[in-house]
């Protein structure tokens, strides 16, 4: 009954409730909404003195309702919400003020149904119109005659020339007489419809006889193919000519049997032909690239031949020349891309004498360079000795099929060919590990479409992909396929759907989703079809919010978090239907711009881009730069013309060419993900939409097994301190922080924070006590891949007021401060700042496969420094880097999207407590500037130093970014210094003052906030805060020189570097290197405000 009350607002979000109450602006205004934390409960929201007070309304075992009000007030129980509201109109009921003015709910205007996107047809309901007064009194005879006349009239308008006369007579007889008998049977409680059953048996008489003949034969074939049966065992029951089963049942059995036979045959054949030892035989042919080699200013033509099968890279002076000079895969150390010359590539090679040889090549174009890099990466992956992969390739495709059957060939879609950022032809034979295909207005059956996709991939890759999951909502479908070798790596598979059609009850619009774990990395995929129409932008925004709230995927233990924060990698694809917002009269102008490939002016009017920039949808999602033409609305069977007008009874409707079909992604901070392709096809023309493709290189983690004795291994720790939350809310309540992570045995909570009023009506909450979380495993290789999910909750309703994520890798070297944008249901709800510090055990971090390719920073300012003295720039402000273009083109700063997080990154020469790996001294290489995994970057000492991009994981913060008043979130007297117990006390060796520059890891592998100010690391506010300067990072364009040590008095808790220790590399393919951390004087004493007795949440297991 509450759904009809004006004060009941259903499942609106908390921020919307606060907005409505603030708009009412009268003390005693109230509304009731559904609780976000407890299913079946409600939240009573009351406005008093411009603050919103929230009270939970909880049902008891007898389903009676009571309000959690002030202590000392007797609890009253009510059967219905209306009784409860009436009672609380009286004063002194325990509320801050009694209820006075109900805030009425806003009525949503449902969108009109468009004729070009009708939902699937429902059962016929369009009977002849009748007088409503007489409808209730119509006799059964009249109703049957009306029904019979309707169907007979339809038959008269159909072409029956292809149907036999016998079948025509049977159909007419049924609609004239038997349908009335079926109605009578149904009214008498018999749902079998004997008249219809008789009609089907008559029509399928010949088919039924054929099934009886065919089915036993097919079952014999099926039995022979069944590998689980031993020869001579397992007899199938014999099928009699008349089994008494319905034709539809037997036909379904026949269909399933045919599918099973096909699957078993394909499995057996491809296992024999296409696989060896459970893995696919390489079918990637050798590819030769024509390049130019630069040496002493002279350009020489050369040919590079990549043979992935044999694991060799050949250097030839002519295309058909001898292949006597080559390097095997373990001698190819690294590929370094130039940023300014997009076709230039540096190859680092190891010679027989364990020296590094550097060769510079220039390819014909950027795509050729990318094809070469992908083939070399595939070679490295193929010959990797790792038992589990640490990077995979993911294809994501979306296509509105326009209710038309697909063409026979769709190769270009799955090979990422067409317009935009596409793959080179040389990469055609490199298969992706996972394929995710989303369709809208899909006319095919679920099984038929899945088989169509698998068949297309089989023709391209010669691999029979395994179906991970498929889910369908009306004509919206998602299919996930994976290589057979990954079948046992994928687990925890979930799928779900959300309807957002008319009144959120029809599935013609909405979303389907699939989630799973790949080893220890979580993936989420959402395929959505949002409301159409240029003017329906706000409705599309609401569709997005509803999908975000109600799509139930991923780990159910993460209840406080929506799908925005439940997955390491979340991909959102589909026909999002956002349009280019130009006047209709500009249609021809738009088409002209498209023909000229001048997309930027049109993209400035793209609704999705503007809504994202305003933070209204897809907050903190990334989308690769669009360099392809609008994918809607084409004339079918051509891609040369856009059909942007449509005649309707109300006039001409315009559907301007738009980028309706999109792929976006959102990943946890500091994880590896690279977009390798994003575009649309040119040759698939059956629909008025073109298929869109995107491919990604994604880092993954595996199930970690510690080599340390769990009884003797030191306990690790994650210390979080100095947390301050600025919340955009008018709620009058107390708050606490809840921490979730897969590296914790259970979630942990803080005590209540202290609230203070802040600017613009927001609340600043300080959580004074530091929290120490105990991870289940303390190995650094495990911990550095983990993330802490943070949820700020209210104490009165246990509802979330904002969620965020912090990467433990940010604290690899020392105490690190972070700033995280808090969001809830896709809206920004505040900012959380604080510090994090790690304590890990001793351990070695293995190198990652994605460290193989890096990006060189060609900085003119850096190259002007004389004699390699880069220290003049060491005081420059630290930099954040976004995810740059994989082609080597730097990301346009004008299109920077806030990632929602930033870190005060420490100098890279600082060692992590429990350093990953051991220092190595061999070959004169320096590993102090390292990759995320501790892998050193090779270089030739004789080569001239060149500036490199810093990996944002390790960009040194010699000087913090300037902060405005809003960013100055922690005053000196409120900070808690880092715990010295979380640091190492081992002595360190002096590092060399001068070292050759090295290529740093690909900064494209990670994402950082570009428009958020950086937070200073402890002590960087004053120059005297360091004991001894560390070698500046590459982002500061510096190679350190010796300086006298500074006083150690102001640097509590900084970690000691590891002692140097030689390592033998003769038995493996790792690059000889030397790690030289800076000298570290004695350990400072802890600050007096540090509390020695900090309660730890969680405990070690195993």
């Amino acid at each position: 009954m509450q759904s009809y009350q004006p004060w009941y607002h259903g499942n609106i979000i908390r921020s919307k409730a606060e907005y409505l109450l603030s708009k009412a602006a009268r003390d005693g205004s109230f509304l009731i909404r559904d609780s976000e934390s407890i299913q079946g409960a409600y939240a009573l929201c009351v406005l008093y003195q411009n603050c919103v007070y929230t009270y939970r309304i909880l049902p008891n075992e007898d389903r009676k309702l009571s309000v959690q009000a002030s202590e000392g007030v007797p609890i009253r129980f009510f059967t219905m919400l209306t009784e409860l509201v009436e009672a609380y109109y009286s004063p002194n009921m325990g509320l801050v003020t009694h209820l006075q003015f109900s805030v009425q709910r806003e009525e949503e205007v449902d969108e009109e149904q468009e004729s070009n996107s009708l939902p699937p047809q429902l059962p016929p309901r369009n009977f002849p119109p009748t007088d409503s007064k007489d409808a209730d009194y119509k006799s059964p005879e009249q109703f049957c005659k009306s029904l019979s006349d309707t169907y007979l009239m339809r038959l008269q308008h159909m072409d029956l020339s292809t149907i036999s006369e016998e079948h025509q007579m049977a159909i007419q007889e049924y609609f004239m007489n038997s349908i009335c008998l079926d109605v009578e049977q149904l009214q008498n409680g018999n749902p079998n419809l004997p008249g219809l059953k008789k009609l089907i048996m008559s029509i399928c008489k010949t088919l039924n006889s054929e099934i009886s003949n065919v089915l036993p034969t097919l079952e014999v074939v099926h039995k022979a193919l069944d590998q689980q049966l031993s020869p001579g065992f397992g007899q199938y029951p014999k099928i009699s000519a008349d089994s008494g089963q319905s034709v539809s049942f037997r036909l379904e059995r026949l269909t399933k049997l045919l599918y099973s036979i096909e699957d078993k045959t394909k499995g057996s054949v491809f296992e024999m032909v296409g696989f060896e030892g459970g893995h696919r035989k390489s079918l990637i042919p050798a590819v030769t690239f024509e390049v130019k080699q630069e040496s002493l200013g002279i350009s020489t033509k050369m040919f590079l031949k990549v043979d992935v099968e044999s694991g060799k890279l050949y250097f030839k002076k002519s295309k058909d020349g001898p292949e006597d000079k080559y390097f095997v895969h373990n001698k190819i150390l690294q590929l370094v891309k130039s940023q300014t010359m997009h076709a230039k590539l540096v190859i680092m090679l190891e010679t027989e004498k364990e020296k590094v040889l550097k060769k510079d090549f220039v390819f014909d174009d950027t795509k050729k360079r990318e094809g070469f890099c992908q083939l070399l990466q595939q070679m490295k992956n193929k010959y990797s000795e790792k038992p589990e992969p640490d990077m995979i390739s993911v294809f994501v495709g979306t296509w509105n099929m326009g209710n038309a059957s697909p063409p026979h060939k769709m190769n270009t879609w799955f090979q990422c060919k067409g317009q935009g950022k596409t793959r080179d032809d040389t990469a055609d034979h490199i298969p992706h590990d996972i394929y995710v295909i989303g369709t809208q207005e899909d006319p095919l059956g679920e099984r038929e479409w899945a088989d169509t996709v698998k068949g297309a991939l089989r023709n391209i890759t010669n691999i029979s992909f395994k179906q991970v999951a498929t889910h369908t909502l009306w004509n919206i479908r998602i299919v996930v396929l994976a290589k057979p070798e990954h079948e046992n790596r994928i687990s925890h598979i979930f799928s779900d759907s959300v309807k957002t059609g008319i009144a959120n009850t029809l599935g013609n619009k909405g979303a389907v989703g699939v989630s799973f774990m790949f080893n220890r990395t979580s993936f989420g995929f959402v395929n959505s079809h949002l409301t159409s129409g240029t003017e329906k932008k706000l409705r599309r925004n609401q569709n997005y919010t509803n999908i975000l709230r109600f799509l139930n995927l991923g780990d159910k233990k993460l209840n406080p978090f929506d799908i925005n924060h439940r997955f390491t990698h979340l991909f959102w694809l589909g026909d999002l239907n956002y349009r280019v917002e130009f006047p209709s009269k500009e249609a021809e102008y738009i088409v002209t711009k498209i023909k000229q490939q001048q997309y930027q002016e049109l993209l400035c009017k793209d609704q999705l881009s503007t809504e994202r920039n305003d933070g209204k949808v897809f907050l903190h999602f990334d989308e690769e730069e669009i360099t392809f033409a609008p994918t809607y609305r084409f004339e079918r069977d051509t891609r040369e013309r856009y059909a942007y007008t449509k005649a309707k009874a109300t006039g001409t409707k315009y559907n301007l060419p738009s980028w309706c079909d999109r792929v976006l992604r959102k990943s946890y901070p500091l994880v590896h993900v690279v977009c390798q392709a994003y575009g649309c096809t040119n040759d698939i023309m059956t629909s008025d939409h073109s298929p869109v493709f995107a491919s990604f290189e994604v880092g993954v983690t595996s199930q970690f097994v510690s080599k340390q004795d769990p009884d003797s291994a030191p306990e690790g720790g994650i210390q979080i301190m100095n947390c301050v939350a600025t919340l955009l809310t008018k709620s009058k309540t107390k708050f606490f922080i809840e921490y979730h992570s897969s590296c914790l045995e259970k979630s942990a909570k803080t005590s209540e924070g202290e609230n203070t009023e802040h600017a613009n009506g927001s609340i600043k909450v300080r959580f004074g006590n530091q929290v120490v979380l105990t991870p289940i495993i303390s190995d650094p290789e495990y911990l550095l891949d983990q993330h802490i999910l943070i949820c700020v909750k209210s104490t009165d309703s246990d509802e979330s007021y904002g969620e965020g994520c912090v990467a433990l890798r940010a604290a690899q070297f020392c105490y690190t401060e972070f700033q995280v944008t808090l969001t809830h249901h896709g809206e920004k709800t505040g900012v959380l700042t604080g510090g994090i510090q790690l304590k890990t055990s001793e351990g070695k971090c293995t190198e990652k496969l994605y460290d193989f390719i890096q990006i060189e920073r060609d900085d003119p300012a850096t190259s002007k420094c004389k004699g390699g003295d880069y220290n003049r720039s060491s005081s420059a402000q630290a930099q954040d880097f976004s995810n740059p273009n994989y082609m080597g083109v730097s990301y346009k700063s004008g299109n920077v999207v806030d990632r929602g997080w930033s870190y005060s990154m420490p100098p890279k020469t600082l060692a992590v407590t429990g350093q990953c790996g051991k220092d190595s001294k061999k070959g004169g290489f320096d590993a102090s500037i390292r990759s995320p995994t501790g892998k050193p970057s090779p270089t030739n000492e004789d080569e001239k130093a060149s500036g490199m991009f810093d990996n944002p994981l390790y960009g040194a913060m010699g000087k913090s970014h300037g902060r405005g008043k809003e960013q100055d979130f922690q005053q000196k007297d409120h900070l808690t210094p880092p715990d010295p117990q979380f640091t190492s006390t081992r002595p360190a060796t002096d590092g060399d003052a001068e070292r050759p520059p090295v290529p740093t890891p690909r900064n494209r592998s990670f994402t950082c906030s570009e428009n958020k100010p950086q937070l200073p690391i402890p002590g960087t506010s004053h120059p005297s805060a360091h004991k001894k300067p560390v070698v500046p990072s590459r982002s500061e364009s510096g190679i350190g020189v010796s300086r006298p040590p500074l006083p150690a008095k102001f640097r509590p808790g900084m970690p000691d570097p590891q002692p140097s220790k030689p390592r033998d590399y003769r038995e493996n393919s790792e690059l000889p290197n030397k790690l030289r951390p800076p000298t570290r004087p004695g350990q400072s004493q802890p600050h007096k405000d540090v509390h020695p007795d900090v309660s730890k949440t969680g405990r070690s297991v195993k």
Side-chain angles (χ1 to χ4, degrees), residues 239 290 472 562 638:
I239 306 297
E290 182 179 333
T472 303
D562 56 37
T638 180

Side-chain angles (χ1 to χ4, degrees), residues 518-584:
F518 187 98
N519 284 339
R520 299 307 302 163
T521 301
S522 56
F523 285 88
F525 300 92
V526 180
N527 171 33
S528 63
H529 191 187
L530 307 185
T531 298
S532 59
T534 304
E535 71 283 0
K536 303 291 179 57
K537 178 175 61 177
L538 298 181
R539 178 69 179 174
R540 282 188 283 276
N541 294 354
Q542 186 60 47
N543 290 166
Y544 163 77
T545 302
N546 289 344
I547 294 167
L548 202 63
R549 291 182 63 189
F550 302 120
L551 198 62
N552 190 11
L553 298 173
D555 188 355
K556 300 304 183 285
K557 295 178 182 177
L558 300 177
N559 284 331
F561 306 90
D562 56 37
I563 59 173
N564 251 337
H565 291 97
R566 288 194 179 189
F567 306 108
T568 313
H569 305 285
L570 173 63
F571 296 88
W572 197 302
L573 55 140
D575 180 0
L576 306 186
N577 255 323
Y578 286 94
R579 308 301 175 91
V580 173
E581 205 158 12
F582 274 87
S584 300

Side-chain angles (χ1 to χ4, degrees), residues 598-895:
Q598 297 179 8
Y599 305 136
Q600 286 304 316
E601 184 178 345
L602 306 183
L603 286 168
C604 290
K605 297 289 187 177
D606 173 58
Q607 289 179 338
L608 179 57
S609 299
T610 56
E611 295 299 283
R612 287 180 61 212
N613 291 338
D614 293 341
K616 295 179 180 178
V617 292
F618 293 100
L619 187 64
H620 305 146
F621 276 76
D622 287 318
E623 183 183 24
E624 188 68 10
E625 183 182 2
I626 293 178
T627 56
F628 52 92
T631 56
Y632 175 80
R633 180 180 187 248
F634 287 102
E635 285 189 16
R636 298 184 188 238
D637 301 322
T638 180
R639 298 294 95 159
E640 300 297 325
R641 294 183 300 277
Y642 286 94
Y644 53 81
T645 60
K646 183 174 184 179
K648 298 186 71 176
T650 55
T652 302
K653 180 176 177 60
Y654 282 82
N655 285 304
L656 298 180
S658 300
W659 288 275
C660 292
D661 311 283
R662 312 287 273 268
V663 177
L664 301 96
R665 67 152 186 94
K666 186 177 187 291
S667 299
Y668 282 170
L670 306 186
V671 296
H672 178 84
V673 56
V674 178
C675 181
Q676 295 178 315
Y678 188 38
C680 67
T681 64
N682 286 327
D683 58 348
I684 300 178
M685 301 177 288
T686 54
S687 171
D688 51 1
H689 291 251
S690 286
V692 168
F693 53 76
S695 68
F696 300 88
E697 181 186 283
V698 180
V700 294
T701 57
S702 302
Q703 183 70 40
F704 187 83
V705 179
S706 177
K707 297 180 180 179
Q708 300 178 357
D709 184 358
D711 297 327
S712 60
E715 187 179 72
I718 305 166
Q719 188 176 30
I720 303 177
M721 64 194 81
N722 300 328
C723 287
V724 178
T726 304
L727 302 177
L728 306 175
T729 181
K730 292 183 176 292
S731 292
K732 198 74 172 179
T733 182
K734 292 289 188 178
F735 301 93
F736 64 94
I737 299 178
E738 198 169 80
Y739 301 102
H740 296 255
S741 178
S742 59
C743 70
L744 304 177
E745 187 177 10
K746 59 182 180 180
S747 60
K749 299 180 181 179
T750 66
S751 55
E752 289 184 4
E754 296 181 3
N755 296 4
T756 56
E757 297 295 330
H758 195 53
N760 302 323
S762 59
I763 299 176
K764 179 171 283 190
V765 188
R766 299 183 184 275
F767 301 92
N769 295 334
Q770 57 188 8
V771 175
V772 178
L773 310 175
T774 304
I776 56 177
I777 300 175
S778 60
D779 293 60
E781 182 175 7
Y782 168 80
L783 274 184
L784 294 180
D785 284 329
Q786 304 303 311
H787 294 80
I788 302 293
L789 293 177
I790 296 174
C791 181
V792 178
K793 286 186 168 184
S794 64
T795 56
D796 57 5
S797 61
D798 199 44
E799 292 183 339
S800 172
Y801 277 66
E803 304 98 50
C805 179
V806 175
L808 296 189
R809 189 175 292 279
Q812 175 172 5
F813 298 107
C814 65
Y815 171 87
T816 299
E817 293 186 354
F818 60 83
Q819 176 170 302
V820 178
T821 299
L822 298 175
T823 64
H824 186 59
H825 296 326
E827 295 182 348
K828 180 178 178 180
T829 57
V831 176
L832 178 71
T833 59
I836 186 169
Q837 189 173 12
L838 286 184
K839 177 182 178 183
T840 68
S841 62
E842 295 287 342
K844 171 192 172 186
C845 289
T846 59
E847 65 182 70
K848 302 289 188 182
L849 289 170
Y850 48 75
D851 291 326
F852 176 61
I853 302 176
Q854 300 178 3
I855 297 180
E856 180 181 19
R857 179 182 184 182
D858 300 294
D859 190 348
T862 302
S863 61
K864 292 180 181 179
C865 296
K866 296 181 180 180
D869 182 10
Y870 296 94
N871 280 302
R872 286 173 292 179
S873 61
S874 63
S875 61
Q877 289 187 348
Q879 300 181 41
D880 256 345
F881 292 97
S882 69
N883 188 357
N885 190 298
Y886 184 61
M887 295 300 204
V889 182
S890 60
Y891 195 89
K892 295 183 180 180
S893 59
N895 291 332

